[in-house]
Amino acid sequence: MRVFLYTTLILLYMLSQFIPHLYLSYTIGVIAVITCFISAFHAKGLHRITGFVFLVLGIFLFIYNDLEWHTFFLQFQSMLGLLSLFVVLPFINSLIRIGRYDKSLSQLLQDRVTRLTSLYKRSFLVCHFLGVFLNMAALPLLIQSVKPSLPTMSRDDINQFFTKNLLRAYALCLTWSPMEVIVSRSIDITQAQYYMILPIVLGIAAIATGVDFVLSGRRYKEIPVSMTQTQEVDLKKVIKKVAQMLGMLFLFIVLVTITQQILGQGFLFSVVLLLVPFSIFWAACLKKTKIFLSATIPHWKVRVDGLANYFFMFLSAGLFVGVLAISGMLSFLEPLFQYAAETPVFLYLFIGAYFLVTAFIGFHPLISQTFLAEFLVPILPQVATLPLAVVLVTCGLSTIMYSPFNLSVSLLSSELKINPFRMAGWNVGYGVVYILISIVVALGLEWAFY
C-alpha cells in the first residue's frame, strides 16, 4: 500500500514539472495529505516526534493566518523533490552490488597492510568512494571488512577508530556527490553550477582528508594489525572496477548537466529523472540487465516501503515551512540577513554555527537547510552564489559526522552498540575544523573572483 502511494505521489510530482496545472497540484496535495497521515502510523523515533511537531505547528499557523481552506493542499510540494531522490536511489545502490564493485574495493583493505595507520587510510578512501554510490550501506560493510583486523585493540579504541574513520570519510564523499540531496538543493537554492562547485568541494575534501590523515598518523602509527586475508588481491581488477565507477560517474554528471540546461529544471530534478534509466544503461553495459532488474525490483520495494519516516517528517516540515513563509512571522529576521549579505564572513560563520546548533537540537540538515533558504533567497542578488553554495554544502553535510540524531551516526552507534552522543563528542571538533576550512576557502573565492 505505502509503496503504491509513495510511487504515485512522486510520479505525479514529476509529471507536474512538465505539465503544470492547478488541478494536478491539488491532486498531488490531496495524495500528499493521505500519504502524511498513513506514514504517521509507521514513522518511528525522532522522525515521528519531529514530524508531529511540524504538523501541529503547520496546522496551527494555517488556522491562525485564516488562509483559504483549499490552499492547505498546496503547501506540501516543496519537499517532494528530495523525497523523489530517496525513492530512486535504491537503483544505483543495487547496481553497485550486482557489479560487485563493493567487494572489489573491500579487497584493497586486505592487500599488504601491516600498520593501523595504513589500514585507517585505506578504509577511509574505500568508504569515501563507496559512500557516493551505497550511501550509509557502506558503513556496516566496512565494519565487517575491517573489524577482524583489530583484535588486539580495546573496545573503546575500536569504537573511536570506526567513528572517526567512517563518519568523516562518508561526510566528505557526500560533499561532491551529485546524488546527495543537500548538494542538489544547495545548487537549486543558489542557482550555482555543479561543475563549478565540484573542483572546489573536492579541494576542501582533500584538505580535510589530509588533516585527518595527519591526526590518525600520530595516533595509530606504531600499532600493528593482523590481516585474516591470505589470498592475493588482483589489483588490476580492482583498478578496472574503480575506473568503471569513475567513468560512469563522470558520464552521469555530464548527462545531468545537459538535461538541466535543456529542460530548465533544477539540478535535483535532473538527477531524479536520469538515475533510473542511467542505472539500467549501466547494467546493460555490464551485460547484467536481467539480473539487475530481478534483484533491484524487490530491493526497491523494501526500501521504498521503509521510507515512512522520511515521508512523514518532510511532508510535515513542508507544510510548516510553506505556511510560515506566507505568514511573514519571521520578517523581523530579514534585517539581520540583509546585514549578513553585506558582510560575507558574518554570513558564512552564521551558516556554520546554525547547522552546528540545529544538528544537536535534532533537526535533519535538510530541514535546517529548508528553513535557511527562506531567508537566503531574498538576498541572493546581493551575495556571491558560488561561495555561498560551497558553504551550504559543506556546513550542511558536516553534521553527518557529529550530529547524534543523524541517521549515519545512529546506524553506526547501533552497529557498535555505543551512545551516539559519545560518538558526536569524538567528531565535533573535527567537524568545526572542516566548517572553518570551507569558510576560509569561500572567503578566498569571494576575494579573488567577486
Side-chain angles (χ1 to χ4, degrees):
M1 172 64 179
R2 294 201 303 277
V3 174
F4 174 78
L5 197 60
Y6 297 162
T7 306
T8 301
L9 179 61
I10 297 307
L11 287 176
L12 288 176
Y13 164 75
M14 299 291 288
L15 179 63
S16 71
Q17 302 305 297
F18 293 104
I19 311 174
H21 197 283
L22 187 60
Y23 289 137
L24 183 56
S25 296
Y26 275 110
T27 302
I28 293 171
V30 171
I31 297 175
V33 171
I34 297 171
T35 300
C36 189
F37 177 77
I38 292 176
S39 298
F41 292 97
H42 299 276
K44 298 177 181 178
L46 183 65
H47 294 86
R48 188 176 190 179
I49 296 171
T50 307
F52 270 118
V53 170
F54 284 136
L55 185 62
V56 170
L57 289 175
I59 293 174
F60 170 78
L61 285 176
F62 186 85
I63 297 172
Y64 178 80
N65 287 282
D66 196 27
L67 300 174
E68 294 287 337
W69 69 269
H70 57 85
T71 61
F72 180 79
F73 298 102
L74 302 177
Q75 308 304 321
F76 293 88
Q77 293 196 30
S78 63
M79 293 293 186
L80 291 180
L82 63 93
L83 287 171
S84 302
L85 186 56
F86 291 137
V87 169
V88 298
L89 270 178
F91 283 86
I92 198 73
N93 298 158
S94 181
L95 179 63
I96 296 303
R97 296 186 183 280
I98 296 296
R100 299 185 64 81
Y101 294 99
D102 54 338
K103 299 296 182 184
S104 295
L105 283 173
S106 295
Q107 290 177 3
L108 285 176
L109 301 173
Q110 299 156 340
D111 180 47
R112 297 185 296 274
V113 176
T114 58
R115 295 288 172 183
L116 191 56
T117 181
S118 299
L119 182 62
Y120 185 97
K121 292 175 181 178
R122 290 200 188 187
S123 176
F124 189 101
L125 294 174
V126 170
C127 181
H128 186 94
F129 203 66
L130 280 181
V132 175
F133 299 94
L134 290 181
N135 299 104
M136 286 184 295
L139 302 181
L141 172 67
L142 284 165
I143 290 175
Q144 294 170 11
S145 300
V146 176
K147 203 167 188 177
S149 305
L150 310 173
T152 58
M153 295 177 67
S154 69
R155 184 171 181 270
D156 192 61
D157 285 338
I158 290 174
N159 290 337
Q160 283 200 49
F161 179 93
F162 283 122
T163 298
K164 295 176 180 180
N165 182 258
L166 300 183
L167 290 179
R168 294 175 184 182
Y170 181 54
L172 293 180
C173 83
L174 294 183
T175 58
W176 59 271
S177 170
M179 292 170 283
E180 167 53 39
V181 187
I182 289 181
V183 174
S184 300
R185 292 272 292 181
S186 299
I187 290 171
D188 288 345
I189 290 169
T190 60
Q191 298 299 303
Q193 297 296 325
Y194 176 77
Y195 65 85
M196 296 181 69
I197 292 176
L198 180 60
I200 300 168
V201 292
L202 278 174
I204 293 172
I207 294 170
T209 300
V211 170
D212 188 52
F213 282 2
V214 170
L215 295 174
S216 64
R218 291 177 179 177
R219 182 181 177 92
Y220 301 122
K221 186 176 181 180
E222 301 302 325
I223 302 177
V225 295
S226 54
M227 304 305 298
T228 57
Q229 177 76 14
T230 57
Q231 185 178 357
E232 187 177 349
V233 176
D234 187 350
L235 286 179
K236 288 185 178 180
K237 184 178 180 180
V238 174
I239 293 172
K240 181 181 177 182
K241 291 286 187 180
V242 171
Q244 286 179 359
M245 294 174 76
L246 287 174
M248 285 297 184
L249 183 60
F250 176 76
L251 178 60
F252 181 71
I253 292 171
V254 171
L255 291 175
V256 167
T257 304
I258 293 172
T259 303
Q260 182 186 9
Q261 296 296 324
I262 293 175
L263 297 181
Q265 297 284 356
F267 186 83
L268 175 59
F269 179 81
S270 302
V271 169
V272 172
L273 189 66
L274 289 180
L275 200 56
V276 174
F278 185 81
S279 298
I280 296 173
F281 164 74
W282 192 343
C285 291
L286 297 175
K287 298 180 180 179
K288 293 184 176 182
T289 309
K290 290 183 178 179
I291 298 174
F292 170 71
L293 292 176
S294 61
T296 302
I297 298 303
H299 170 68
W300 173 80
K301 289 180 179 178
V302 172
R303 289 286 300 274
V304 173
D305 190 59
L307 289 176
N309 284 336
Y310 284 122
F311 271 87
F312 179 57
M313 183 177 71
F314 285 122
L315 288 176
S316 299
L319 169 66
F320 175 65
V321 173
V323 178
L324 190 64
I326 294 172
S327 70
M329 295 180 68
L330 297 179
S331 57
F332 70 94
L333 291 174
E334 290 178 4
L336 175 65
F337 280 87
Q338 288 294 335
Y339 170 76
E342 300 169 3
T343 316
V345 63
F346 175 78
L347 177 62
Y348 300 154
L349 286 171
F350 174 81
I351 291 173
Y354 168 78
F355 277 108
L356 184 66
V357 172
T358 54
F360 281 94
I361 292 175
F363 277 27
H364 191 285
L366 281 168
I367 302 294
S368 301
Q369 188 187 60
T370 301
F371 281 127
L372 187 61
E374 295 296 321
F375 298 101
L376 292 179
V377 171
I379 65 171
L380 282 179
Q382 302 168 247
V383 299
T385 55
L386 182 60
L388 177 60
V390 169
V391 171
L392 282 176
V393 168
T394 52
C395 293
L397 287 169
S398 69
T399 62
I400 285 176
M401 64 179 87
Y402 60 76
S403 173
F405 302 102
N406 196 279
L407 281 177
S408 55
V409 176
S410 299
L411 175 63
L412 201 60
S413 69
S414 176
E415 290 283 334
L416 300 176
K417 295 179 175 56
I418 185 174
N419 190 307
F421 281 90
R422 193 176 184 193
M423 296 172 66
W426 290 331
N427 267 341
V428 67
Y430 178 82
V432 171
V433 170
Y434 174 60
I435 289 173
L436 292 175
I437 290 171
S438 68
I439 290 174
V440 170
V441 171
L443 290 172
L445 290 170
E446 185 106 20
W447 177 79
F449 300 107
Y450 294 91

